[in-house]
């Protein structure tokens, strides 16, 4: 039996509060913790001792003297616990073992190869098993970013068309399989959470992450809160119609954003323009960026149209949210500044100028692990009350 079977104690309030303070502000002295927590010195001392006994907190040297002897500083031990993050929103299923700072320790990837339904579910089990087997510390839980409509509160994937999942209680099934707490959310929502905590969207009062790839969606964070929808559907802009009467989308409607800028749509349009398309569609945007730089007019047109379609959708977001920061994540980031320039131009054409002027468009900074980092946020906030 590996460490995953170990039962973790439920944090009690004083030590829970202290752990969070040490996580956010460490290295920090006990005296500063007394002030910050508003607790008595003996309570802080006892709670710190129990956190150290659990291996969650360590002493890391001495701080500057404030008159008397130099205080010992406390810090969270980032590798005291591990967690599993899963990103199901690509051509392949990706997962990582991560630490308490959401840093990747090791990765596993499983080829989806067109599997759907129960076969795709079996691959998720395989991915989790492979990562759990590599855990060297007690596992806190599993965070999953799933494509399509998800109901985070119930841990259900309502509809993921490409995986053939309908009303799949994925969190419950995976909990039964692994014995670990499992938390699930839409991949774009997790990307937004990660960018809000770790990336360029830090402390933004209103921000949106548009995640691009095979599917298109967005996560909206307003006043520090994720707009997930009740019970689901928040930020679901992939099926916003941006080209009336356009191509048929997987949802059954025509001209959705996803049917214009999703990877399959991008490949189709590239072929129509006589461009070569790689077998691995994830590599297509980088290839297009290279051709664009070489001055190929067909590619420039394709990139421009892609940015403009995103700009049309961004105008709807701005109309509802008011001034906000919009970040592009995922595959289309490879298209670089020409994509953003086209997006900005179209946004300016379609939205109210004063609102456009207080809005901002850019790329995420959280990197290609953005969904995995969001999955870590899910576990850390729910199990440890951190973040
Ligand atoms: Zn659609």
């Amino acid at each position: 039996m590996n460490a995953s079977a170990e039962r973790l104690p439920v944090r009690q309030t004083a030590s829970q509060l202290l752990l969070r303070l040490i996580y956010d502000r460490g290295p920090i002295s006990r005296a500063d913790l007394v002030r910050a927590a508003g607790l008595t010195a003996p309570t802080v001392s006892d709670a710190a001792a129990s956190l150290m006994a659990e291996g969650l907190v360590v002493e890391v040297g001495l701080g500057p003297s404030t008159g008397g002897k130099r205080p010992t500083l406390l810090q969270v031990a980032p590798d005291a616990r591990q967690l599993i993050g899963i990103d199901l929103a690509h051509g392949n299923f990706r997962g990582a073992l991560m630490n308490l700072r959401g840093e990747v320790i090791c990765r596993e990837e499983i080829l989806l190869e067109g599997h759907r339904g129960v076969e795709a579910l079996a691959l998720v089990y395989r991915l989790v098993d492979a990562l759990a087997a590599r855990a060297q510390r007690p596992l806190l839980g599993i965070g999953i970013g799933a494509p399509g409509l998800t109901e985070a509160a119930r841990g259900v994937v309502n509809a993921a068309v490409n995986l053939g999942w309908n009303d799949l209680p994925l969190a419950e099934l995976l909990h039964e399989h692994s014995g670990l707490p499992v938390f699930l959310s839409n991949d774009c929502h997790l990307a937004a959470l990660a960018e809000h905590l770790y990336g360029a969207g830090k402390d933004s009062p209103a921000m949106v992450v548009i995640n691009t790839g095979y599917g298109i969606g967005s996560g909206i964070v307003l006043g520090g809160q994720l707009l997930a929808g009740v019970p689901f559907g928040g930020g679901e802009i992939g099926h916003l119609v941006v080209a009336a009467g356009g191509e048929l989308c997987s949802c059954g409607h025509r001209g959705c954003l996803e049917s214009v800028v999703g990877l399959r749509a991008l490949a189709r349009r590239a072929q129509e323009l006589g461009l070569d398309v790689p077998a691995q569609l994830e590599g297509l945007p980088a290839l297009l960026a290279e051709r664009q730089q070489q001055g190929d007019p067909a590619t420039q047109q394709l990139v421009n149209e892609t940015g403009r379609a995103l700009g049309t959708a961004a105008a709807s977001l701005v109309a509802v949210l008011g001034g906000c920061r919009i970040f592009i994540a995922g595959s289309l980031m490879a298209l670089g500044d020409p994509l953003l320039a086209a997006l900005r131009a179209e946004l300016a054409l379609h939205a109210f100028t004063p609102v456009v002027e207080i809005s901002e468009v850019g790329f995420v900074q959280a990197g290609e692990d953005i969904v995995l980092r969001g999955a870590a946020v899910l576990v850390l906030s729910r199990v440890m009350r951190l973040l």
Side-chain angles (χ1 to χ4, degrees), residues 10-340:
V10 175
R11 306 234 64 75
Q12 294 308 303
T13 44
S15 53
Q16 205 171 75
L17 173 62
L18 279 195
L19 184 63
R20 169 130 199 200
L21 282 170
I22 300 169
Y23 188 83
D24 288 342
R25 304 188 194 181
I28 183 169
S29 69
R30 288 175 179 78
D32 284 342
L33 283 170
V34 166
R35 278 187 283 277
L39 297 169
T40 65
T43 305
V44 166
S45 188
D46 287 353
S50 82
L51 289 170
M52 285 171 65
E54 287 183 64
L56 284 165
V57 166
V58 287
E59 290 184 337
V60 285
L62 302 174
S65 166
T66 50
K69 88 177 190 208
R70 294 174 65 194
T72 307
L73 299 180
L74 300 174
Q75 187 174 288
V76 166
D79 296 312
R81 302 287 186 273
Q82 294 177 337
L83 60 93
I84 291 174
I86 303 284
D87 179 359
L88 303 178
H90 296 271
N92 300 326
F93 286 168
R94 299 173 185 174
L97 204 57
M98 303 165 94
N99 70 9
L100 290 176
R101 289 280 171 207
E103 293 159 344
V104 172
I105 296 156
C106 64
R107 300 168 191 277
E108 293 280 346
E109 185 164 342
I110 288 190
L111 302 183
L112 191 54
E113 291 175 323
H115 289 303
R116 292 163 55 84
V118 287
E119 291 178 344
L121 177 63
L123 294 180
V124 180
Y125 290 162
R126 235 174 76 195
L127 184 60
V128 165
D129 291 346
L131 288 162
R134 296 176 72 178
Q136 300 131 341
R137 298 281 187 277
L139 282 168
L140 293 176
I142 303 170
I144 307 175
L149 286 178
T150 61
E151 208 171 317
R154 293 197 303 135
V156 169
V157 179
N158 302 90
V161 179
N162 296 335
L163 294 172
W165 289 348
N166 285 299
D167 292 321
L168 181 76
L170 183 57
E172 191 185 319
L173 291 170
L174 205 49
H175 168 67
E176 282 166 10
H177 178 83
S178 67
L180 292 168
V182 181
F183 307 98
L184 174 144
S185 192
N186 171 274
D187 62 308
C188 304
H189 292 180
L190 292 186
L193 277 182
E195 188 65 15
H196 182 66
L197 278 160
Y198 303 116
K202 218 168 171 24
D203 305 324
S204 286
M207 60 155 283
V208 183
V209 170
I210 300 179
N211 205 16
T212 61
Y214 287 93
I216 305 290
S218 77
I220 300 167
V221 178
L222 261 186
Q225 295 295 311
L226 180 71
L227 221 71
V230 182
F232 55 76
E236 199 55 56
I237 61 162
H239 301 285
L240 193 69
V241 174
V242 296
E247 292 290 328
L248 191 64
C249 179
S250 61
C251 73
H253 294 163
R254 285 189 178 274
C256 298
L257 180 63
E258 192 170 303
S259 75
V260 181
V261 308
L263 277 179
R264 287 184 194 86
L266 199 66
R268 189 194 65 241
R269 288 160 58 223
Q271 269 163 346
E272 282 167 8
L273 290 169
L275 301 169
D276 292 332
V277 169
Q280 275 288 333
L281 291 188
E282 265 113 346
L284 176 62
L287 209 76
L288 292 174
E290 211 176 291
R291 283 172 181 272
Q292 147 116 12
Q293 271 169 8
Q294 289 161 359
D296 175 51
T299 311
Q300 284 174 343
Q301 182 193 330
L302 183 58
V303 173
N304 186 46
E305 284 172 7
T306 303
R308 287 176 57 185
L310 285 167
T312 305
S316 295
L317 289 168
V318 164
V320 175
L321 300 174
C324 59
R325 304 173 78 187
I326 298 173
F327 301 104
I328 305 295
S331 311
L332 295 184
M333 286 176 77
L335 296 178
D337 287 338
L339 180 84
L340 292 186

